[in-house]
Amino acid sequence: MNYRLPKSERLHADKLIKELFNEGSSFFLYPFKVQFFVKKDLGSGTSQVLFSVSKKKIKKAVGRNFVKRRMREAYRLNKALIPPTAPAMSIGLIYVSSDLMEFSEIQTKIILALKKLATIVSENQKQHA
């Protein structure tokens, strides 16, 4: 298992971010809003992920960076929950709570979000197959 999170797995291209928010689907799993967009042109590949914490909810940059660091770490450790057969997709994990959470809480919620995302994508694959 590769536990790294290189730049190739992070969503940073403006075009792809706009595509994610304009054409993607989403679901809510407190404290996260999970936005995702399955890329149709590519087969199975690496998913790219974006981490976001609202300035409106957490005022201080120190707090926002703190939460993003915990989110990245939780995703990095559990990204294997998305099956390797899943199509390449863009994922946006948006933190919507106004309070700082412990790493264990964030990790359990990210695990639940990734499992739900994996089931949604696999169901869509079965429908289109």
Side-chain angles (χ1 to χ4, degrees):
M1 177 59 220
N2 180 9
Y3 286 113
R4 296 177 64 230
L5 190 61
K7 189 166 184 176
S8 62
E9 290 182 22
R10 282 182 264 144
L11 189 58
H12 53 85
D14 285 341
K15 182 182 171 192
L16 293 174
I17 293 170
K18 283 180 184 162
E19 188 178 57
L20 170 66
F21 286 102
N22 292 337
E23 300 173 33
S25 307
S26 68
F27 62 89
F28 187 79
L29 187 70
Y30 185 83
F32 298 108
K33 179 182 178 197
V34 181
Q35 191 93 21
F36 64 96
F37 177 71
V38 178
K39 299 172 188 165
K40 289 163 183 63
D41 56 342
L42 302 168
S44 61
T46 58
S47 297
Q48 290 188 314
V49 68
L50 166 101
F51 302 97
S52 176
V53 181
S54 172
K55 194 175 190 178
K56 208 175 211 178
K57 298 285 184 180
I58 298 179
K59 302 284 184 215
K60 296 190 176 184
V62 173
R64 290 194 301 276
N65 292 336
F66 181 73
V67 172
K68 281 193 277 190
R69 208 174 303 119
R70 287 181 168 182
M71 288 167 62
R72 275 195 303 268
E73 183 68 2
Y75 175 81
R76 185 183 70 80
L77 294 172
N78 298 294
K79 65 182 179 180
L81 293 173
I82 298 172
T85 57
M89 61 183 147
S90 300
I91 304 167
L93 292 170
I94 300 139
Y95 188 82
V96 295
S97 176
S98 56
D99 44 291
L100 305 176
M101 297 177 93
E102 291 295 318
F103 175 72
S104 57
E105 292 176 89
I106 288 177
Q107 187 172 23
T108 54
K109 296 295 184 174
I110 283 192
I111 289 170
L112 289 172
L114 291 176
K115 284 181 179 174
K116 186 171 181 177
L117 183 63
T119 57
I120 290 171
V121 169
S122 65
E123 285 173 10
N124 283 353
Q125 270 187 314
K126 288 176 187 171
Q127 288 176 357
H128 295 293

